[in-house]
Amino acid sequence: MKGRRSKPLSGPGALQLALPFEAIAPVPALPPGAGQRSAILEGQRVDYLLKRSRRRTLGFQIDERGLTVSAPSWFPVRELDGALQEKSRWILAKLVEWREYQQRRERLAIRWADGESLRYLGRTLRMEICTRTDGVMHDGAALRIGLPPGAGSGQMRDRVHAWLQAEATRIFGERLPVFCARLGRKPARWGLSSARTRWGSCTADGVIRLNWRLVHFPLELIDYVIAHEVAHLKELNHSAGFWSTVGELMPGYREARERLRALHEEGATL
Ligand SMILES: [Zn+2]
């Protein structure tokens, strides 16, 4: 449709109607002043989305979409810039924080292609695609992944995820009884989870779930999560008593807890 023009009409709408078809396609109606805008904060151009809302004060929100400003419907657009200038330090600091977080996540994300690396128990494995074998084989610093010729990255990811989950079942299944024996209690049952925000959980009826993505990390970190959840079989809280139980199960847990926290803040694997 590019270049096709509607017949010019007379009247005030004529100029607009003479534009290419795409340009005059109806856009959703927005409340007055709402939409994409930009401001110069401390010399930097910052794009933001202005939303009109029923709130009584201005609101600023920064997330993966950037800056969103929610303004009461009566708030004059001409006063927005002054309000943004007042908040400029906070806005710029938050935008930098988000950008850094996203860059870290991108750096840590697994690239599903031949020759790329994968973290397994804290070590780096090189992924190699093998078109003549089946299944996944761990061999020293290599992970050989059997895939049919021409398989896509999605198939590769599914194969490796299935292998990592089988490894998680095997390794957690070996480590859990160690801590259960130390405590003298067993879970009613346990299983893998793929929660996006937590490494493990324990319910009041003694069901333990462990995030399979923990297999990327060194064994001490896996042990810490297991010791933590096993300790919940005795103390279903985070009281001083609970932490002393964790300490009995795993004397060096504090260091492991800090390392896990640091990895989590980097956005590792979650
Ligand atoms: Zn807990």
Side-chain angles (χ1 to χ4, degrees):
M1 292 236 193
K2 210 169 174 191
R4 195 170 117 182
R5 284 157 198 268
S6 314
K7 255 190 196 160
L9 296 176
S10 56
L15 186 64
Q16 278 202 347
L17 285 167
L19 288 170
F21 183 73
E22 284 84 355
I24 56 159
V27 285
L30 285 168
Q36 280 297 333
R37 311 181 67 89
S38 66
I40 304 293
L41 303 181
E42 300 186 20
Q44 293 184 60
R45 184 193 148 123
V46 173
D47 294 322
Y48 66 95
L49 179 69
L50 175 63
K51 275 189 183 168
R52 290 298 194 173
S53 69
R54 265 188 254 166
R55 49 181 298 147
R56 300 170 73 174
T57 55
L58 273 185
F60 301 90
Q61 195 197 337
I62 288 158
D63 56 25
E64 70 278 9
R65 291 161 301 183
L67 171 64
T68 303
V69 180
S70 307
S73 48
W74 51 265
F75 196 91
V77 166
R78 64 179 182 278
E79 281 174 33
L80 264 175
D81 198 61
L84 284 161
Q85 296 303 332
E86 253 175 57
K87 272 284 220 188
S88 65
R89 295 191 78 158
W90 180 86
I91 291 168
L92 290 171
K94 283 276 167 203
L95 284 171
V96 167
E97 233 174 72
W98 259 101
R99 200 178 312 134
E100 285 174 354
Y101 172 74
Q102 280 171 322
Q103 283 168 352
R104 276 200 304 271
R105 284 196 66 145
E106 265 168 44
R107 213 174 51 232
L108 290 162
I110 301 164
R111 282 177 290 269
W112 301 106
D114 191 37
E116 292 292 345
S117 56
L118 176 82
R119 301 291 286 172
Y120 170 71
L121 295 179
R123 296 189 293 265
T124 302
L125 302 184
R126 191 185 136 89
M127 297 189 285
E128 292 170 9
I129 291 176
C130 293
T131 49
R132 277 167 301 174
T133 57
D134 227 8
V136 176
M137 204 182 66
H138 177 204
D139 180 10
L143 190 70
R144 303 219 167 82
I145 304 147
L147 280 174
S153 59
Q155 261 175 293
M156 180 177 177
R157 183 198 57 219
D158 292 349
R159 279 270 152 102
V160 175
H161 276 177
W163 179 77
L164 288 170
Q165 285 166 10
E167 284 297 288
T169 302
R170 181 179 69 77
I171 296 161
F172 303 169
E174 283 169 16
R175 302 305 296 163
L176 252 171
V178 174
F179 295 100
C180 289
R182 280 182 204 165
L183 186 72
R185 292 181 198 215
K186 272 189 201 168
R189 61 193 154 85
W190 77 274
L192 298 183
S193 89
S194 47
R196 299 312 279 186
T197 52
R198 44 168 49 180
W199 295 120
S201 65
C202 180
T203 64
D205 44 8
V207 179
I208 287 181
R209 301 235 170 266
L210 301 166
N211 198 315
W212 63 265
R213 290 184 171 87
L214 284 165
V215 281
H216 290 302
F217 299 155
L219 198 58
E220 305 89 79
L221 303 195
I222 298 173
D223 274 355
Y224 162 65
V225 175
I226 295 178
H228 182 122
E229 300 312 334
V230 167
H232 277 317
L233 294 172
K234 189 174 159 204
E235 304 251 8
L236 203 58
N237 52 54
H238 290 124
S239 64
F242 165 78
W243 288 111
S244 86
T245 305
V246 178
E248 284 160 31
L249 294 177
M250 186 184 176
Y253 82 89
R254 280 196 181 82
E255 203 212 320
R257 184 176 63 183
E258 284 318 304
R259 284 174 65 196
L260 190 64
R261 251 182 215 160
L263 280 166
H264 191 83
E265 273 157 25
E266 278 190 16
T269 74
L270 275 182

